Amino acid sequence: AMSDALKKRKSKVVRSETGTPEGKRGRGDGEQEVRVYSEEVELDGSDPAEDYRQYKLTCKALAKLMNEIQELKANGAKDGCAEVEQKRMQSCIHFMSLKKLNRLAHMRLKRGRDQTHEGKQRVDVLHLQLQNLLYEVMHMQKEISKCLEFKSKHEEIDLVSIDEFNKEAPPEISRISITKDDPHQLTLARLDWELEQRKRLAEKYKESLSSKEKIQKSIEVKKEHLSSLQPGLNAIMQASLPVQEYLSMPFEQTQKQIEIARHLPPSLYVLLVQANAYGQACDKSLSVSISGDVDEAKALAKPPDDSQDDDSGDSDAEEEQEKTKRRRPTTGGQLDDKRREMLKRHPLSLCLDLKCKGTHTHTHSLSVTAGCGCVVTIVSCGRELLNSDTLLNCLYANDQGRETPNPANRYQFDKVGISVFGDYVAELGHPYQWVQRLGGLQFPSETPEVCDSLSASHMESTMKLLRGRVQSRLALHKQFSSLEHSIVPVSSECQHLFPTKVLSRLSRWTAITHHEYTNLSFTRHVSDAGLARETDLFFLAVVERGTARLQAAVVLNPRYPEISPLFALSLSWKGERAGRSDDNLRAIESEVNVFKSELQGPRPGHQLLTNQVARLCVCLDVYLETDGQDDSVEGPREFPREKMCLRTARGPNRLKPFKYNHPQGFFSHR
């Protein structure tokens, strides 16, 4: 009853989550006071920490009331007991407090989320504005860079300098008052001046073209006039031939040469006569000319003036006094003077020119070395085609031109202290025996004899040898230019000697010295056999395929192709192998060196060397492709078998098939 009264007296309370608390009082009778409660307003004034503390206390009090109610019921209290009801009412109040705290927590969470969302929206708006501004900045920077990088056409024009422009341009174009401080206006004015100049030059160009056409027309008229004169001049020249023959005018040069030839030594005169006769009769490409100082030759031919004056009786005494006052020369100086006098060249020399295959090649020149009382010896000292020490060397067998063939020279050299004539070969030239024979010199005794028949008998054979030597060296020079670029040239006439597919390639071709050749380990047997002499040419070739590397030391005799090149081999693959220790390498050497007749090619066999190198590449292919596969090594073969072989090995030495059979295209044993 008391609770009902309290409820009647209690004012009506309306909760609103969005409004503000207001008190309203009605004007009529029976109206009650109305107050609006807003939890959001309470939420603004509450502290989350205080709410949490209140939550802990409420939970603790609720747990205590539940324990007391449990104890009362355990002691026998009934459900309708006043004490139990009171504690139950207090528990409901606590439940209401917990629900209020829960609502406040949810409202606080919702408000935090709303605030976070609003802040995120503000940040997104600011970020979008920032991106827009950055994009505008980037766009402006690109526009600025485009403007800075803009290349105008006028920059490609080479304009005149500013000083020259101000000096030469008229005032209406230069406008110095405006362009002085404005670079843009200055550039425009310079372009206007450039246009004006080009207009003027275009007019001059047109005028020059018109004058050029006029000059060309006049030139054509003059050419027609001159061409009309040519038949008349030819007729005049033909009509004057009898007069020239009658006056001996075409032979003026010959007469001069004959006049000079009178001052030649006898041996060179014989050579001149015989060479001219052979050239006129057998070889029109051979020409002989005389070079040197004629006046010096005339002075050399005059006898020395030995006249003496005997006017005074005491001349002998005066000469003895003068000798005592003079400084006597040393013995070494006297010997040097005598050597120079003995080895002095004759002022005149002969030049023999040969033309091979339409190309004029200066082959050699002949000169005379003579001294006081020295017997004449002809020495070859001319220019040589590829190598001055090898071109004319060994033209005949064992004719190296190291020692003078005149036995009388030996005694004369002993008097002046010349032990070895070879020391002076570089300065004087090589005294080849074939040159002495061409000059008609033979030395059966200490007194040389000049014989025309000797020169005539050797002239034809020697000229043929000279021409063959030059042609072979020209062919070698052409082949070496290809070999040095790792190209092995094979002519169409020799294509059938080799298969179409050769995988081994020449990687290097270099010239080496005799000393370097003898120092190679795999060439010792060649040197010991005397087959590598200092007069020979030596080369080193390297043939490669994959990991295999074959070295070939080549000895080229000066008499190539009459004497074929000699190859010595060394293979670096699965160890080092040489022809002396490996039977198959020795067989390859035989294929290259012994069976050379198959590789000669068309006569005279200038392609022998390159054919030998090509066969060396083919033999290396066969050697590598027919090698047995090691069972311990897995994977494909390093060198797959591409050559067709009847048998890969034969005999106890297991020799490989290196002979190529054409046109069947297979390899077999010899």
Side-chain angles (χ1 to χ4, degrees):
M2 291 179 64
S3 63
D4 295 337
L6 288 173
K7 290 179 181 179
K8 290 180 180 179
R9 288 197 297 267
K10 189 175 181 180
S11 62
K12 185 178 180 179
V13 179
V14 180
R15 285 188 175 88
S16 175
E17 294 182 357
T18 58
T20 57
E22 289 186 4
K24 295 184 179 180
R25 188 178 296 273
R27 291 186 178 182
D29 294 338
E31 292 181 358
Q32 296 180 352
E33 181 183 0
V34 179
R35 291 185 300 171
V36 179
Y37 172 72
S38 177
E39 288 186 344
E40 290 187 357
V41 176
E42 185 179 358
L43 184 65
D44 293 336
S46 64
D47 185 12
E50 182 64 25
D51 290 346
Y52 180 71
R53 189 178 64 80
Q54 186 67 29
Y55 166 74
K56 298 288 287 186
L57 292 175
T58 303
C59 290
K60 186 175 180 182
L62 184 61
K64 183 178 179 183
L65 288 173
M66 292 297 178
N67 291 329
E68 290 177 354
I69 292 172
Q70 185 180 6
E71 289 177 359
L72 289 174
K73 286 185 176 184
N75 292 329
K78 296 182 179 180
D79 294 337
C81 180
E83 190 175 358
V84 173
E85 291 294 330
Q86 185 180 2
K87 292 185 180 294
R88 184 178 296 171
M89 186 185 306
Q90 292 177 357
S91 300
C92 290
I93 294 172
H94 288 307
F95 273 115
M96 295 299 291
S97 299
L98 288 176
K99 291 174 71 175
K100 178 182 178 181
L101 292 174
N102 185 29
R103 286 195 305 273
L104 291 176
H106 281 286
M107 292 173 63
R108 190 178 288 112
L109 177 62
K110 183 176 180 299
R111 178 176 291 182
R113 287 178 177 176
D114 293 342
Q115 291 177 355
T116 302
H117 183 67
E118 292 176 359
K120 185 177 180 182
Q121 285 183 341
R122 288 195 300 272
V123 171
D124 291 341
V125 171
L126 294 175
H127 183 71
L128 182 60
Q129 293 177 355
L130 176 62
Q131 292 296 328
N132 292 334
L133 292 175
L134 290 177
Y135 179 76
E136 291 179 2
V137 169
M138 181 178 66
H139 179 69
M140 296 301 294
Q141 288 178 349
K142 287 183 178 180
E143 293 297 326
I144 293 171
S145 62
K146 286 181 181 179
C147 294
L148 293 176
E149 295 175 356
F150 176 73
K151 298 295 183 181
S152 179
K153 288 292 184 181
H154 80 278
E155 296 180 2
E156 300 176 0
I157 302 174
D158 189 10
L159 300 176
V160 297
S161 62
I162 298 176
D163 296 336
E164 187 177 354
F165 167 72
N166 294 329
K167 183 179 179 181
E168 296 181 357
E172 60 271 12
I173 295 179
S174 61
R175 295 176 295 173
I176 299 177
S177 59
I178 300 175
T179 59
K180 183 177 181 181
D181 299 326
D182 192 349
H184 178 64
Q185 293 295 331
L186 178 61
T187 304
L188 292 177
R190 293 173 68 188
L191 289 172
D192 293 338
W193 176 239
E194 181 71 20
L195 179 60
E196 183 68 22
Q197 284 182 323
R198 293 196 177 192
K199 288 180 179 179
R200 296 177 184 177
L201 292 175
E203 293 178 358
K204 290 183 179 179
Y205 177 69
K206 291 180 181 178
E207 295 176 359
S208 300
L209 283 179
S210 61
S211 62
K212 178 184 176 182
E213 291 177 357
K214 293 179 181 179
I215 294 172
Q216 283 182 345
K217 289 181 180 178
S218 63
I219 290 173
E220 290 176 358
V221 172
K222 292 178 181 179
K223 282 184 177 179
E224 291 178 358
H225 179 66
L226 291 175
S227 61
S228 63
L229 292 177
Q230 185 66 30
L233 293 175
N234 291 335
I236 294 172
M237 292 295 294
Q238 291 294 330
S240 64
L241 286 177
V243 179
Q244 294 180 17
E245 293 178 0
Y246 179 76
L247 297 177
S248 301
M249 292 178 62
F251 305 104
E252 181 179 359
Q253 186 66 28
T254 306
Q255 291 177 353
K256 290 182 179 179
Q257 188 172 2
I258 293 174
E259 182 65 26
I260 298 173
R262 294 178 181 177
H263 305 285
L264 288 172
S267 56
L268 289 188
Y269 184 80
V270 170
L271 178 57
L272 174 66
V273 173
Q274 295 296 334
N276 280 328
Y278 178 77
Q280 294 175 5
C282 303
D283 193 350
K284 300 296 183 182
S285 63
L286 175 64
S287 61
V288 187
S289 61
I290 303 174
S291 61
D293 191 350
V294 182
D295 296 334
E296 188 177 352
K298 291 179 180 179
L300 184 64
K302 291 182 180 179
D305 189 7
D306 295 335
S307 60
Q308 297 179 356
D309 295 329
D310 296 333
D311 296 335
S312 58
D314 57 348
S315 60
D316 294 338
E318 293 178 358
E319 289 179 0
E320 290 177 0
Q321 292 178 0
E322 290 178 359
K323 288 181 180 180
T324 55
K325 294 179 181 179
R326 293 175 187 167
R327 182 179 180 182
R328 296 183 178 179
T330 59
T331 305
Q334 291 177 351
L335 288 177
D336 291 339
D337 294 339
K338 289 181 179 179
R339 290 194 195 101
R340 283 193 295 269
E341 186 67 22
M342 179 176 292
L343 300 177
K344 184 178 179 181
R345 292 175 178 271
H346 194 276
L348 298 179
S349 61
L350 290 184
C351 297
L352 274 68
D353 291 338
L354 287 175
K355 293 180 181 179
C356 297
K357 295 183 180 180
T359 302
H360 185 271
T361 304
H362 189 72
T363 304
H364 65 286
S365 62
L366 304 178
S367 63
V368 172
T369 301
C372 298
C374 176
V375 180
V376 177
T377 302
I378 300 180
V379 180
S380 173
C381 59
R383 288 179 175 176
E384 299 157 342
L385 183 58
L386 298 178
N387 191 329
S388 59
D389 292 333
T390 60
L391 180 63
L392 300 177
N393 193 17
C394 295
L395 191 65
Y396 288 91
N398 299 323
D399 189 4
Q400 302 178 9
R402 288 293 178 182
E403 293 295 336
T404 173
N406 190 352
N409 294 147
R410 182 70 271 157
Y411 301 101
Q412 296 167 347
F413 290 162
D414 292 340
K415 293 180 181 179
V416 295
I418 298 177
S419 59
V420 180
F421 181 73
D423 298 338
Y424 301 89
V425 166
E427 178 182 358
L428 299 176
H430 295 270
Y432 294 117
Q433 294 182 4
W434 59 267
V435 184
Q436 321 303 321
R437 293 170 184 170
L438 289 183
L441 290 176
Q442 57 182 354
F443 304 98
S445 61
E446 295 186 359
T447 304
E449 298 179 2
V450 180
C451 181
D452 292 345
S453 61
L454 178 65
S455 175
S457 62
H458 288 81
M459 179 62 67
E460 183 175 3
S461 60
T462 303
M463 289 297 110
K464 289 182 179 179
L465 288 175
L466 281 174
R467 185 176 299 278
R469 175 63 60 86
V470 173
Q471 290 176 348
S472 66
R473 290 304 171 87
L474 288 174
L476 282 176
H477 180 70
K478 184 178 180 180
Q479 294 170 8
F480 287 175
S481 62
S482 299
L483 293 176
E484 289 172 356
H485 290 83
S486 301
I487 299 173
V488 183
V490 179
S491 62
S492 58
E493 297 89 349
C494 301
Q495 289 289 347
H496 66 280
L497 298 175
F498 313 102
T500 56
K501 188 175 182 181
V502 181
L503 299 179
S504 298
R505 62 179 186 87
L506 178 68
S507 62
R508 199 179 77 179
W509 176 271
T510 55
I512 58 177
T513 62
H514 177 260
H515 180 68
E516 293 173 342
Y517 181 87
T518 55
N519 286 339
L520 295 174
S521 59
F522 58 92
T523 61
R524 190 167 301 167
H525 62 289
V526 180
S527 303
D528 295 341
L531 300 177
R533 296 175 294 182
E534 295 183 0
T535 56
D536 297 333
L537 301 175
F538 301 94
F539 301 93
L540 182 64
V542 179
V543 180
E544 294 181 349
R545 179 181 175 184
T547 58
R549 186 171 184 268
L550 179 65
Q551 285 186 325
V554 185
V555 181
L556 185 66
N557 193 280
R559 299 175 65 188
Y560 172 88
E562 181 182 351
I563 299 179
S564 61
L566 185 62
F567 284 69
L569 305 180
S570 173
L571 178 62
S572 176
W573 183 60
K574 296 181 180 180
E576 294 290 338
R577 313 177 187 183
R580 301 289 293 174
S581 58
D582 189 277
D583 293 333
N584 282 295
L585 278 183
R586 190 181 301 113
I588 296 177
E589 289 181 352
S590 300
E591 289 290 330
V592 177
N593 296 328
V594 178
F595 303 102
K596 59 182 181 180
S597 58
E598 302 175 2
L599 304 173
Q600 288 287 346
R603 294 181 62 85
H606 291 156
Q607 302 176 13
L608 173 61
L609 177 62
T610 53
N611 288 344
Q612 286 178 307
V613 177
R615 173 165 285 187
L616 192 64
C617 296
V618 174
C619 291
L620 181 60
D621 280 350
V622 175
Y623 185 95
L624 298 176
E625 293 176 10
T626 57
D627 190 74
Q629 175 73 13
D630 191 358
D631 297 335
S632 62
V633 179
E634 297 182 356
R637 295 171 58 93
E638 181 182 3
F639 304 107
R641 186 170 301 169
E642 298 184 1
K643 305 292 186 298
M644 184 171 60
C645 305
L646 296 181
R647 294 175 62 185
T648 58
R650 189 182 70 180
N653 295 334
R654 310 304 294 167
L655 293 179
K656 302 176 183 296
F658 294 114
K659 181 183 178 182
Y660 177 68
N661 296 271
H662 178 80
Q664 293 83 5
F666 63 88
F667 288 84
S668 62
H669 293 82
R670 290 193 180 272

